[in-house]
Amino acid sequence: MDTKLDMMSFSILRNARKAKNLAYKALKQMKAGNLDEARELIAQSDEATTLAQEAESDLLHFVQGSEKEVETWLEHSQDHLMSSLLATETIKEMIEMYAGNRA
């Protein structure tokens, strides 16, 4: 497997996992009533998500039109990215709902 391809895939995985972990930390802070900390963590999650999406875009451009063996890596990294996006967006909405109920 191509080293550059490996690094691109791992960048997606690393940042998607980071985003998801930060989102769940935000949820924990929200449940503890620490909305400012929850919002800060979700903002960090968004930053990690952006890095994962940029890495995904770079990877797709890198392999476009080639016959490289990328399906497994790409699918695995995209699965992590999609689950991270789902967790982050859901938790973001939960934080806003919680904040609205406290107002």
Side-chain angles (χ1 to χ4, degrees):
M1 177 158 293
D2 190 288
T3 302
K4 184 171 182 174
L5 184 59
D6 288 341
M7 295 305 292
M8 294 170 124
S9 294
F10 284 126
S11 181
I12 297 168
L13 288 167
R14 181 182 62 247
N15 286 300
R17 284 181 186 151
K18 181 178 181 180
K20 191 174 181 181
N21 288 338
L22 286 164
Y24 279 102
K25 286 180 182 180
L27 178 61
K28 191 173 187 176
Q29 289 301 313
M30 179 203 70
K31 288 167 63 176
N34 302 323
L35 284 176
D36 290 338
E37 180 68 18
R39 287 186 174 129
E40 175 59 32
L41 287 164
I42 212 71
Q44 291 175 27
S45 177
D46 284 340
E47 291 173 14
T49 297
T50 298
L51 291 173
Q53 289 174 314
E54 289 171 354
E56 179 187 39
S57 178
D58 290 346
L59 186 144
L60 292 173
H61 288 329
F62 178 70
V63 299
Q64 186 175 12
S66 73
E67 303 212 3
K68 297 183 184 294
E69 292 274 333
V70 297
E71 292 175 12
T72 302
W73 281 113
L74 184 56
E75 288 176 14
H76 183 65
S77 60
Q78 285 182 318
D79 284 346
H80 277 277
L81 179 55
M82 293 295 99
S83 69
S84 171
L85 286 167
L86 178 61
T88 300
E89 291 304 314
T90 301
I91 292 168
K92 199 182 298 184
E93 290 298 317
M94 292 171 71
I95 290 169
E96 294 310 311
M97 286 172 29
Y98 183 80
N101 287 338
R102 292 189 66 197

